[in-house]
Amino acid sequence: MKKLASILKNQTIRVDNHDSGSGRAFEWGTGVHIHKILNEKKYKGAEFTLPLDRPGEINYIRGNDKSGAIEREIRKAFNDEATRTKFISDLGEALKRLQRAVI
């Protein structure tokens, strides 16, 4: 969990599959991905999508990452299947803890 916290520090994440409102169930294998948005001054507003349920490209969408440093760092971490799998597992555990806290 500590590693997950450091990955998400000063960031906003959103998990989706771009099917919102389509009536299709949100299921694994439908292009589930994270929108990662940086909130710190240096990279404020830099946004990326990171595939979770299949190998794929990490896409830089917009924001302040002109040098490409953040994109390279994300690619290095998420192109490694073991790192991506561990991140997904940690994220799942964090969401379960949140759910238990709310209920």
XYZ file of all heavy atoms in Angstrom:
824
model
N 0.818 -1.198 0.000
C 0.000 0.000 0.000
C 0.858 1.258 0.000
O 0.460 2.254 -0.568
C -0.920 0.001 1.222
C -2.004 -1.067 1.174
S -3.101 -0.874 -0.222
C -4.044 0.507 0.313
N 2.006 1.192 0.656
C 2.881 2.361 0.710
C 3.350 2.758 -0.683
O 3.402 3.929 -1.027
C 4.080 2.044 1.608
C 4.698 3.243 2.237
C 5.743 2.814 3.229
C 5.980 3.929 4.205
N 6.991 3.611 5.183
N 3.685 1.746 -1.501
C 4.127 2.010 -2.870
C 2.997 2.645 -3.688
O 3.215 3.570 -4.457
C 4.582 0.704 -3.517
C 5.555 0.892 -4.635
C 6.137 -0.411 -5.046
C 7.497 -0.156 -5.621
N 8.201 -1.335 -5.994
N 1.776 2.134 -3.501
C 0.632 2.686 -4.205
C 0.434 4.151 -3.828
O 0.210 4.994 -4.688
C -0.635 1.883 -3.889
C -1.919 2.348 -4.565
C -1.804 2.242 -6.079
C -3.097 1.537 -4.068
N 0.560 4.462 -2.546
C 0.404 5.846 -2.086
C 1.432 6.754 -2.740
O 1.117 7.867 -3.153
C 0.505 5.913 -0.568
N 2.668 6.278 -2.876
C 3.700 7.116 -3.488
C 3.450 7.299 -4.979
O 3.732 8.354 -5.547
C 5.095 6.536 -3.244
O 5.281 5.358 -3.985
N 2.874 6.304 -5.647
C 2.565 6.412 -7.073
C 1.452 7.429 -7.299
O 1.438 8.140 -8.295
C 2.149 5.035 -7.651
C 3.365 4.119 -7.735
C 1.509 5.173 -9.028
C 3.042 2.695 -8.120
N 0.522 7.527 -6.340
C -0.650 8.382 -6.510
C -0.533 9.736 -5.834
O -1.413 10.574 -5.981
C -1.896 7.654 -5.990
C -2.203 6.337 -6.683
C -3.406 5.680 -6.050
C -2.401 6.524 -8.169
N 0.560 9.982 -5.115
C 0.731 11.244 -4.396
C 0.656 12.425 -5.363
O 1.292 12.419 -6.416
C 2.080 11.241 -3.674
C 2.297 12.456 -2.811
C 3.623 12.367 -2.096
C 3.814 13.599 -1.244
N 5.122 13.614 -0.625
N -0.118 13.443 -4.982
C -0.305 14.649 -5.798
C -0.866 14.356 -7.185
O -0.524 15.023 -8.156
C 1.006 15.429 -5.940
C 1.463 16.006 -4.629
O 0.640 16.465 -3.836
N 2.752 15.966 -4.379
N -1.723 13.323 -7.269
C -2.304 12.958 -8.548
C -3.784 12.648 -8.385
O -4.250 12.358 -7.297
C -1.588 11.742 -9.120
C -0.126 12.038 -9.381
C 0.631 10.833 -9.822
O 0.104 9.989 -10.522
N 1.875 10.741 -9.428
N -4.479 12.721 -9.470
C -5.877 12.325 -9.529
C -5.942 11.151 -10.480
O -5.330 11.187 -11.559
C -6.743 13.476 -10.084
O -6.567 14.616 -9.252
C -8.206 13.092 -10.144
N -6.657 10.106 -10.098
C -6.836 8.998 -11.038
C -8.323 8.733 -11.222
O -9.142 8.984 -10.352
C -6.117 7.705 -10.611
C -6.700 7.145 -9.311
C -4.632 7.909 -10.499
C -6.325 5.709 -9.094
N -8.625 8.242 -12.395
C -9.986 7.869 -12.754
C -9.871 6.554 -13.511
O -9.014 6.411 -14.384
C -10.530 8.987 -13.637
C -11.955 9.002 -13.918
C -12.353 10.297 -14.660
N -11.903 10.316 -16.043
C -11.104 11.248 -16.559
N -10.623 12.217 -15.832
N -10.764 11.202 -17.830
N -10.693 5.584 -13.176
C -10.683 4.301 -13.869
C -11.931 4.227 -14.727
O -13.040 4.469 -14.249
C -10.659 3.120 -12.868
C -10.681 1.795 -13.603
C -9.450 3.210 -11.940
N -11.760 3.937 -16.014
C -12.925 3.793 -16.892
C -12.589 2.938 -18.108
O -11.482 2.450 -18.241
C -13.500 5.147 -17.294
C -12.633 5.962 -18.230
O -11.943 5.381 -19.090
O -12.638 7.192 -18.118
N -13.586 2.779 -18.961
C -13.369 2.056 -20.217
C -14.042 2.778 -21.390
O -14.251 2.197 -22.440
C -13.851 0.609 -20.120
C -15.348 0.501 -19.932
O -16.038 1.498 -19.745
N -15.857 -0.721 -19.959
N -14.385 4.044 -21.178
C -15.006 4.901 -22.195
C -16.350 4.367 -22.687
O -16.787 4.711 -23.777
C -14.077 5.138 -23.386
C -12.892 5.969 -23.051
N -12.982 7.283 -22.631
C -11.572 5.678 -23.042
C -11.767 7.752 -22.396
N -10.894 6.807 -22.636
N -17.016 3.534 -21.887
C -18.337 3.030 -22.255
C -19.433 3.607 -21.374
O -20.557 3.124 -21.385
C -18.384 1.501 -22.158
C -17.792 0.837 -23.387
O -17.629 1.517 -24.406
O -17.503 -0.359 -23.321
N -19.123 4.627 -20.604
C -20.104 5.219 -19.711
C -21.356 5.633 -20.486
O -21.270 6.284 -21.522
C -19.495 6.451 -19.032
O -20.430 7.049 -18.187
N -22.500 5.222 -19.985
C -23.756 5.574 -20.613
C -24.168 4.659 -21.749
O -25.236 4.822 -22.326
N -23.341 3.686 -22.079
C -23.670 2.798 -23.203
C -24.594 1.665 -22.786
O -25.148 0.982 -23.638
C -22.393 2.198 -23.806
O -21.828 1.251 -22.901
N -24.727 1.449 -21.472
C -25.538 0.337 -20.989
C -24.753 -0.951 -20.889
O -25.232 -1.946 -20.349
N -23.551 -0.954 -21.425
C -22.698 -2.140 -21.340
C -22.079 -2.219 -19.953
O -21.667 -1.207 -19.390
C -21.602 -2.047 -22.403
C -20.956 -3.387 -22.696
C -20.169 -3.337 -23.955
N -18.800 -2.935 -23.628
C -17.816 -2.917 -24.479
N -18.019 -3.227 -25.738
N -16.615 -2.554 -24.121
N -21.989 -3.424 -19.411
C -21.431 -3.625 -18.074
C -19.954 -3.241 -18.049
O -19.238 -3.434 -19.034
C -21.592 -5.081 -17.642
N -19.533 -2.695 -16.919
C -18.116 -2.365 -16.729
C -17.413 -3.653 -16.356
O -17.513 -4.122 -15.239
C -17.984 -1.322 -15.613
C -16.594 -0.785 -15.459
C -16.163 0.276 -16.231
C -15.707 -1.337 -14.547
C -14.881 0.789 -16.093
C -14.426 -0.842 -14.409
C -14.018 0.222 -15.182
N -16.751 -4.267 -17.310
C -16.130 -5.572 -17.110
C -14.673 -5.549 -17.518
O -14.270 -4.800 -18.408
C -16.849 -6.637 -17.941
C -18.279 -6.866 -17.539
C -18.975 -7.875 -18.447
O -18.388 -8.287 -19.471
O -20.105 -8.248 -18.124
N -13.910 -6.423 -16.884
C -12.522 -6.623 -17.240
C -12.463 -7.126 -18.668
O -13.251 -7.967 -19.068
C -11.914 -7.647 -16.278
C -10.437 -7.557 -16.173
C -9.534 -8.463 -16.615
C -9.679 -6.505 -15.572
N -8.264 -8.036 -16.340
C -8.324 -6.836 -15.701
C -10.012 -5.305 -14.962
C -7.296 -6.030 -15.233
C -8.995 -4.499 -14.488
C -7.658 -4.870 -14.621
N -11.559 -6.584 -19.464
C -11.428 -6.999 -20.851
C -12.136 -6.068 -21.822
O -12.182 -6.336 -23.019
N -12.707 -4.975 -21.326
C -13.418 -4.029 -22.194
C -12.626 -2.739 -22.381
O -13.191 -1.702 -22.702
C -14.812 -3.698 -21.616
O -14.669 -3.103 -20.326
C -15.699 -4.928 -21.539
N -11.314 -2.819 -22.174
C -10.475 -1.628 -22.343
C -10.350 -0.795 -21.086
O -10.217 0.422 -21.148
N -10.381 -1.459 -19.932
C -10.275 -0.756 -18.652
C -8.901 -0.087 -18.563
O -7.877 -0.696 -18.858
C -10.485 -1.720 -17.467
C -10.318 -1.000 -16.138
C -11.852 -2.390 -17.558
N -8.920 1.182 -18.181
C -7.676 1.931 -18.092
C -7.787 3.011 -17.018
O -8.870 3.313 -16.537
C -7.315 2.559 -19.438
C -8.371 3.479 -19.940
N -9.458 3.044 -20.665
C -8.532 4.821 -19.807
C -10.227 4.077 -20.962
N -9.697 5.169 -20.448
N -6.643 3.553 -16.653
C -6.571 4.642 -15.690
C -6.270 5.928 -16.442
O -5.430 5.945 -17.348
C -5.447 4.398 -14.662
C -5.839 3.308 -13.693
C -5.101 5.675 -13.906
C -4.780 3.019 -12.641
N -6.955 6.987 -16.052
C -6.552 8.339 -16.444
C -5.765 8.862 -15.251
O -6.302 8.954 -14.148
C -7.772 9.242 -16.675
C -8.450 8.994 -17.964
N -8.199 9.745 -19.086
C -9.358 8.078 -18.316
C -8.944 9.286 -20.073
N -9.649 8.285 -19.636
N -4.526 9.158 -15.454
C -3.632 9.640 -14.402
C -3.357 11.117 -14.685
O -2.845 11.455 -15.740
C -2.354 8.817 -14.434
C -1.300 9.184 -13.432
C -0.103 8.233 -13.624
C 1.067 8.603 -12.779
N 1.174 7.831 -11.571
N -3.722 11.981 -13.719
C -3.546 13.423 -13.896
C -2.652 13.947 -12.776
O -2.942 13.738 -11.604
C -4.899 14.157 -13.859
C -5.832 13.555 -14.918
C -4.710 15.652 -14.078
C -7.276 13.950 -14.752
N -1.562 14.591 -13.144
C -0.631 15.116 -12.159
C -1.095 16.476 -11.672
O -1.535 17.297 -12.465
C 0.770 15.213 -12.751
C 1.478 13.860 -12.902
C 0.925 13.061 -14.045
C 2.944 14.053 -13.041
N -0.987 16.704 -10.364
C -1.455 17.943 -9.756
C -0.332 18.819 -9.211
O -0.584 19.924 -8.763
C -2.445 17.639 -8.626
C -3.655 16.883 -9.116
O -4.191 17.176 -10.166
N -4.080 15.880 -8.376
N 0.891 18.315 -9.218
C 1.996 19.111 -8.680
C 2.379 20.216 -9.659
O 2.147 20.110 -10.866
C 3.189 18.226 -8.347
C 3.724 17.477 -9.546
C 4.689 16.374 -9.182
O 4.522 15.745 -8.141
O 5.623 16.181 -9.970
N 2.967 21.275 -9.149
C 3.261 22.472 -9.950
C 4.034 22.176 -11.235
O 3.663 22.628 -12.304
C 4.053 23.492 -9.125
C 3.214 24.267 -8.162
C 4.063 25.304 -7.458
C 3.246 26.049 -6.426
N 4.037 27.061 -5.749
N 5.123 21.447 -11.122
C 6.010 21.249 -12.270
C 5.298 20.597 -13.458
O 5.541 20.951 -14.613
C 7.221 20.415 -11.859
C 8.250 20.274 -12.956
C 9.489 19.560 -12.475
C 10.518 19.454 -13.585
N 11.724 18.767 -13.155
N 4.427 19.628 -13.195
C 3.754 18.898 -14.268
C 2.233 19.093 -14.231
O 1.491 18.293 -14.771
C 4.070 17.402 -14.181
C 5.532 17.114 -14.325
C 6.297 16.745 -13.225
C 6.168 17.228 -15.555
C 7.656 16.489 -13.352
C 7.517 16.981 -15.695
C 8.253 16.604 -14.588
O 9.584 16.348 -14.724
N 1.771 20.167 -13.615
C 0.347 20.425 -13.409
C -0.470 20.161 -14.675
O -0.189 20.709 -15.736
C 0.145 21.877 -12.966
C -1.282 22.246 -12.691
C -1.572 22.129 -11.239
C -2.953 22.677 -10.939
N -3.636 21.921 -9.989
N -1.443 19.281 -14.539
C -2.359 19.002 -15.637
C -1.907 17.947 -16.625
O -2.665 17.583 -17.518
N -0.695 17.435 -16.482
C -0.251 16.385 -17.402
C -1.153 15.175 -17.194
O -1.371 14.732 -16.075
C 1.206 16.024 -17.157
N -1.703 14.642 -18.275
C -2.646 13.532 -18.180
C -2.230 12.407 -19.113
O -1.830 12.646 -20.252
C -4.057 13.998 -18.529
C -5.091 12.902 -18.407
C -6.508 13.381 -18.662
O -6.723 14.592 -18.875
O -7.402 12.537 -18.647
N -2.366 11.187 -18.603
C -1.995 9.986 -19.337
C -3.096 8.954 -19.179
O -3.820 8.964 -18.187
C -0.704 9.374 -18.772
C 0.457 10.300 -18.807
C 0.677 11.196 -17.776
C 1.335 10.277 -19.864
C 1.749 12.065 -17.805
C 2.422 11.146 -19.900
C 2.624 12.040 -18.882
N -3.216 8.042 -20.134
C -4.043 6.858 -19.933
C -3.111 5.664 -19.871
O -2.148 5.573 -20.630
C -5.084 6.652 -21.061
O -4.414 6.535 -22.304
C -6.093 7.783 -21.092
N -3.412 4.765 -18.940
C -2.605 3.573 -18.727
C -3.508 2.351 -18.808
O -4.441 2.223 -18.010
C -1.946 3.597 -17.346
C -1.005 4.754 -17.070
C -1.748 5.941 -16.521
C 0.043 4.319 -16.100
N -3.285 1.450 -19.759
C -4.137 0.268 -19.888
C -3.940 -0.658 -18.693
O -2.824 -0.824 -18.202
C -3.640 -0.389 -21.173
C -2.259 0.110 -21.364
C -2.199 1.464 -20.733
N -5.040 -1.251 -18.212
C -4.954 -2.159 -17.075
C -5.293 -3.599 -17.444
O -4.686 -4.521 -16.929
C -5.902 -1.705 -15.956
C -5.566 -0.393 -15.274
C -6.626 -0.060 -14.238
C -4.194 -0.456 -14.627
N -6.259 -3.794 -18.317
C -6.747 -5.151 -18.549
C -6.157 -5.825 -19.785
O -6.573 -6.905 -20.155
C -8.274 -5.162 -18.620
C -8.834 -4.397 -19.810
O -8.067 -3.693 -20.487
O -10.052 -4.508 -20.037
N -5.182 -5.183 -20.389
C -4.516 -5.774 -21.552
C -3.254 -4.972 -21.846
O -3.167 -3.808 -21.467
C -5.435 -5.772 -22.761
C -5.812 -4.365 -23.210
C -6.766 -4.364 -24.356
N -8.110 -4.371 -23.822
C -9.192 -4.272 -24.542
N -9.110 -4.184 -25.835
N -10.373 -4.277 -24.011
N -2.293 -5.588 -22.501
C -1.122 -4.805 -22.891
C -1.552 -3.712 -23.853
O -2.495 -3.882 -24.613
C -0.230 -5.820 -23.607
C -0.757 -7.155 -23.230
C -2.216 -6.972 -22.903
N -0.891 -2.601 -23.795
C -1.244 -1.526 -24.705
C -0.395 -0.312 -24.468
O 0.443 -0.283 -23.579
N -0.637 0.671 -25.269
C 0.134 1.900 -25.198
C -0.285 2.777 -24.030
O -1.460 2.900 -23.725
C -0.051 2.701 -26.486
C 0.824 2.250 -27.620
C 2.298 2.428 -27.325
O 2.735 3.551 -26.994
O 3.015 1.426 -27.435
N 0.686 3.369 -23.403
C 0.457 4.430 -22.432
C 0.397 5.698 -23.267
O 1.309 5.976 -24.041
C 1.598 4.477 -21.408
C 1.569 3.198 -20.582
C 1.503 5.720 -20.540
C 2.812 2.924 -19.805
N -0.683 6.427 -23.153
C -0.880 7.590 -24.016
C -0.810 8.889 -23.236
O -1.505 9.058 -22.243
C -2.234 7.504 -24.728
C -2.297 6.342 -25.678
O -1.424 6.178 -26.513
N -3.310 5.522 -25.543
N 0.015 9.794 -23.719
C 0.080 11.148 -23.184
C -1.050 11.921 -23.827
O -1.173 11.949 -25.057
C 1.441 11.768 -23.530
C 1.556 13.235 -23.226
C 1.577 13.679 -21.913
C 1.659 14.163 -24.246
C 1.697 15.035 -21.630
C 1.789 15.512 -23.972
C 1.805 15.940 -22.659
O 1.919 17.271 -22.373
N -1.905 12.531 -23.018
C -3.055 13.246 -23.564
C -2.782 14.740 -23.673
O -2.971 15.339 -24.714
C -4.314 12.989 -22.714
C -4.660 11.503 -22.777
C -5.485 13.824 -23.196
C -5.780 11.085 -21.886
N -2.371 15.336 -22.550
C -2.146 16.785 -22.558
C -1.392 17.173 -21.293
O -1.172 16.377 -20.416
C -3.463 17.530 -22.619
C -4.293 17.344 -21.347
C -5.544 18.221 -21.357
N -6.501 17.689 -20.425
C -7.524 16.916 -20.749
N -7.729 16.589 -21.992
N -8.348 16.473 -19.826
N -1.044 18.449 -21.215
C -0.457 18.986 -19.994
C 1.008 19.313 -20.129
O 1.562 19.364 -21.222
N 1.622 19.517 -18.989
C 2.982 20.007 -18.921
C 3.993 18.877 -18.735
O 4.465 18.620 -17.634
C 3.086 21.023 -17.777
C 4.401 21.733 -17.757
O 5.133 21.694 -18.739
N 4.718 22.369 -16.653
N 4.305 18.173 -19.804
C 5.361 17.159 -19.791
C 6.143 17.289 -21.090
O 6.371 16.329 -21.807
C 4.785 15.757 -19.638
C 5.866 14.691 -19.472
O 6.936 15.002 -18.924
O 5.651 13.545 -19.908
N 6.529 18.509 -21.387
C 7.203 18.812 -22.656
C 8.480 17.995 -22.865
O 8.792 17.600 -23.962
C 7.520 20.305 -22.726
C 6.315 21.182 -22.448
C 5.810 21.856 -23.675
C 4.717 22.853 -23.403
N 3.464 22.334 -22.999
N 9.191 17.713 -21.768
C 10.435 16.949 -21.890
C 10.186 15.455 -22.049
O 11.073 14.721 -22.451
C 11.305 17.172 -20.646
O 10.720 16.548 -19.517
N 8.957 15.002 -21.716
C 8.646 13.580 -21.803
C 9.137 12.769 -20.619
O 9.040 11.547 -20.626
N 9.642 13.437 -19.574
C 10.212 12.730 -18.421
C 9.183 11.867 -17.703
O 9.461 10.709 -17.375
C 10.820 13.731 -17.437
N 8.003 12.411 -17.465
C 6.969 11.646 -16.755
C 6.488 10.495 -17.623
O 6.317 9.373 -17.145
C 5.783 12.558 -16.360
C 6.248 13.607 -15.359
C 4.638 11.750 -15.797
C 6.706 13.061 -14.036
N 6.304 10.745 -18.896
C 5.861 9.673 -19.795
C 6.867 8.525 -19.811
O 6.488 7.355 -19.729
C 5.654 10.210 -21.206
C 5.070 9.181 -22.144
C 4.729 9.744 -23.508
O 5.001 10.938 -23.768
O 4.192 8.984 -24.319
N 8.148 8.837 -19.869
C 9.187 7.787 -19.850
C 9.136 6.998 -18.545
O 9.254 5.771 -18.545
C 10.572 8.393 -20.050
C 10.863 8.756 -21.496
C 12.321 9.115 -21.721
N 12.777 10.251 -20.936
C 12.597 11.528 -21.257
N 11.948 11.845 -22.361
N 13.072 12.486 -20.490
N 8.958 7.702 -17.429
C 8.896 7.040 -16.124
C 7.688 6.096 -16.051
O 7.803 4.963 -15.585
C 8.800 8.095 -15.024
C 8.733 7.526 -13.630
C 8.590 8.617 -12.581
O 9.189 9.698 -12.733
O 7.867 8.367 -11.600
N 6.549 6.560 -16.517
C 5.340 5.735 -16.499
C 5.513 4.525 -17.416
O 5.181 3.397 -17.038
C 4.110 6.568 -16.921
C 3.800 7.611 -15.845
C 2.895 5.666 -17.150
C 2.767 8.642 -16.267
N 6.027 4.746 -18.619
C 6.246 3.627 -19.548
C 7.177 2.583 -18.946
O 6.926 1.384 -19.060
C 6.825 4.122 -20.867
C 5.826 4.798 -21.743
C 6.472 5.222 -23.067
N 5.569 6.055 -23.810
C 4.563 5.610 -24.537
N 4.344 4.318 -24.610
N 3.781 6.435 -25.184
N 8.243 3.042 -18.322
C 9.209 2.119 -17.722
C 8.529 1.246 -16.675
O 8.734 0.035 -16.639
C 10.354 2.910 -17.084
C 11.424 2.046 -16.487
C 12.541 2.894 -15.901
C 13.550 2.021 -15.186
N 14.559 2.807 -14.501
N 7.686 1.837 -15.843
C 7.007 1.086 -14.789
C 5.903 0.191 -15.341
O 5.835 -0.994 -15.031
C 6.435 2.039 -13.751
N 5.037 0.746 -16.193
C 3.842 0.010 -16.598
C 4.050 -0.923 -17.774
O 3.214 -1.784 -18.024
C 2.683 0.970 -16.854
C 1.956 1.315 -15.596
C 2.463 2.265 -14.733
C 0.791 0.667 -15.254
C 1.824 2.577 -13.562
C 0.136 0.964 -14.080
C 0.649 1.923 -13.230
N 5.134 -0.803 -18.499
C 5.413 -1.771 -19.554
C 5.886 -3.093 -18.974
O 5.839 -4.112 -19.651
C 6.423 -1.227 -20.562
C 5.770 -0.287 -21.552
O 4.574 -0.326 -21.772
N 6.559 0.579 -22.145
N 6.321 -3.077 -17.723
C 6.721 -4.298 -17.032
C 5.467 -4.964 -16.475
O 4.770 -4.396 -15.634
C 7.699 -3.962 -15.903
C 8.093 -5.203 -15.128
O 8.809 -6.034 -15.708
O 7.653 -5.329 -13.967
N 5.146 -6.165 -16.949
C 3.898 -6.832 -16.559
C 3.811 -7.076 -15.056
O 2.749 -6.902 -14.458
C 3.739 -8.155 -17.310
C 2.388 -8.778 -17.074
C 2.149 -10.020 -17.918
O 2.909 -10.260 -18.870
O 1.200 -10.739 -17.607
N 4.909 -7.444 -14.414
C 4.886 -7.696 -12.971
C 4.551 -6.421 -12.193
O 3.759 -6.450 -11.241
C 6.229 -8.255 -12.506
N 5.110 -5.291 -12.608
C 4.824 -4.010 -11.946
C 3.371 -3.621 -12.160
O 2.687 -3.200 -11.228
C 5.746 -2.902 -12.499
O 7.101 -3.291 -12.268
C 5.473 -1.566 -11.823
N 2.888 -3.796 -13.386
C 1.492 -3.461 -13.695
C 0.536 -4.340 -12.883
O -0.431 -3.857 -12.297
C 1.234 -3.618 -15.197
C -0.094 -3.068 -15.649
C -0.248 -3.045 -17.169
N -0.096 -4.348 -17.774
C 0.893 -4.693 -18.580
N 1.839 -3.832 -18.891
N 0.957 -5.894 -19.092
N 0.826 -5.627 -12.803
C -0.018 -6.557 -12.045
C -0.018 -6.209 -10.564
O -1.072 -6.211 -9.920
C 0.468 -8.006 -12.262
O 0.386 -8.294 -13.663
C -0.369 -8.999 -11.484
N 1.138 -5.876 -10.014
C 1.232 -5.500 -8.598
C 0.446 -4.218 -8.340
O -0.261 -4.103 -7.338
C 2.700 -5.321 -8.211
C 2.927 -4.845 -6.797
C 2.687 -5.951 -5.793
C 3.127 -5.511 -4.404
N 2.089 -5.631 -3.410
N 0.556 -3.253 -9.229
C -0.184 -2.005 -9.086
C -1.687 -2.275 -9.066
O -2.418 -1.756 -8.229
C 0.157 -1.032 -10.218
C -0.658 0.228 -10.190
C -0.296 1.279 -9.357
C -1.793 0.358 -10.970
C -1.060 2.451 -9.313
C -2.560 1.517 -10.938
C -2.184 2.560 -10.104
N -2.168 -3.098 -9.990
C -3.596 -3.416 -10.064
C -4.047 -4.104 -8.778
O -5.100 -3.783 -8.223
C -3.896 -4.286 -11.303
C -3.639 -3.484 -12.575
C -5.319 -4.818 -11.269
C -3.566 -4.326 -13.830
N -3.253 -5.035 -8.290
C -3.581 -5.729 -7.045
C -3.652 -4.757 -5.868
O -4.602 -4.790 -5.076
C -2.527 -6.813 -6.786
O -2.762 -7.422 -5.548
N -2.656 -3.879 -5.756
C -2.639 -2.892 -4.671
C -3.816 -1.929 -4.778
O -4.428 -1.569 -3.776
C -1.334 -2.092 -4.679
C -0.138 -2.905 -4.212
O -0.330 -4.036 -3.732
O 0.987 -2.392 -4.338
N -4.140 -1.522 -6.001
C -5.270 -0.621 -6.209
C -6.571 -1.308 -5.792
O -7.416 -0.710 -5.130
C -5.331 -0.181 -7.672
C -6.456 0.776 -8.052
C -6.361 2.080 -7.264
C -6.429 1.049 -9.549
N -6.715 -2.578 -6.151
C -7.907 -3.341 -5.758
C -8.050 -3.422 -4.251
O -9.139 -3.238 -3.703
N -6.952 -3.689 -3.565
C -6.979 -3.757 -2.095
C -7.348 -2.407 -1.490
O -8.116 -2.339 -0.526
C -5.634 -4.240 -1.554
C -5.399 -5.726 -1.751
C -6.487 -6.594 -1.125
O -6.849 -6.358 0.047
O -6.994 -7.495 -1.817
N -6.812 -1.337 -2.042
C -7.129 0.005 -1.537
C -8.608 0.312 -1.713
O -9.247 0.869 -0.814
C -6.274 1.049 -2.246
N -9.173 -0.071 -2.848
C -10.590 0.168 -3.098
C -11.464 -0.660 -2.150
O -12.496 -0.183 -1.669
C -10.935 -0.121 -4.559
C -10.315 0.841 -5.570
C -10.568 0.359 -6.999
C -10.837 2.248 -5.379
N -11.055 -1.881 -1.866
C -11.799 -2.713 -0.914
C -11.786 -2.087 0.473
O -12.809 -2.070 1.158
C -11.212 -4.122 -0.857
C -11.512 -4.962 -2.068
C -10.839 -6.311 -1.942
C -10.879 -7.079 -3.245
N -10.123 -8.330 -3.165
N -10.635 -1.555 0.872
C -10.548 -0.893 2.182
C -11.457 0.328 2.242
O -12.129 0.571 3.243
C -9.113 -0.469 2.483
C -8.221 -1.609 2.866
C -6.851 -1.105 3.229
N -5.966 -2.213 3.452
C -4.701 -2.105 3.724
N -4.134 -0.905 3.802
N -3.938 -3.144 3.920
N -11.482 1.103 1.183
C -12.367 2.257 1.126
C -13.827 1.844 1.226
O -14.626 2.452 1.920
C -12.151 3.049 -0.163
C -10.935 3.946 -0.218
C -10.745 4.488 -1.622
C -11.071 5.089 0.770
N -14.169 0.784 0.511
C -15.539 0.301 0.529
C -15.940 -0.120 1.950
O -17.024 0.228 2.413
C -15.712 -0.882 -0.434
C -17.127 -1.427 -0.452
C -17.242 -2.670 -1.300
O -16.263 -3.391 -1.484
N -18.418 -2.936 -1.821
N -15.062 -0.854 2.633
C -15.362 -1.289 4.002
C -15.493 -0.099 4.943
O -16.324 -0.092 5.838
C -14.285 -2.248 4.504
C -14.372 -3.634 3.868
C -13.480 -4.635 4.562
N -12.075 -4.316 4.473
C -11.237 -4.790 3.542
N -11.695 -5.577 2.597
N -9.969 -4.452 3.549
N -14.699 0.940 4.726
C -14.743 2.131 5.576
C -16.036 2.911 5.396
O -16.549 3.500 6.330
C -13.545 3.034 5.294
N -16.565 2.895 4.174
C -17.777 3.640 3.869
C -19.029 2.907 4.378
O -19.978 3.531 4.823
C -17.897 3.893 2.341
C -19.234 4.478 1.980
C -16.774 4.798 1.897
N -18.990 1.604 4.329
C -20.172 0.800 4.714
C -20.323 0.722 6.200
O -19.730 0.868 7.060
C -20.108 -0.607 4.114
C -20.193 -0.486 2.618
C -21.212 -1.483 4.646
C -20.091 -1.787 1.875
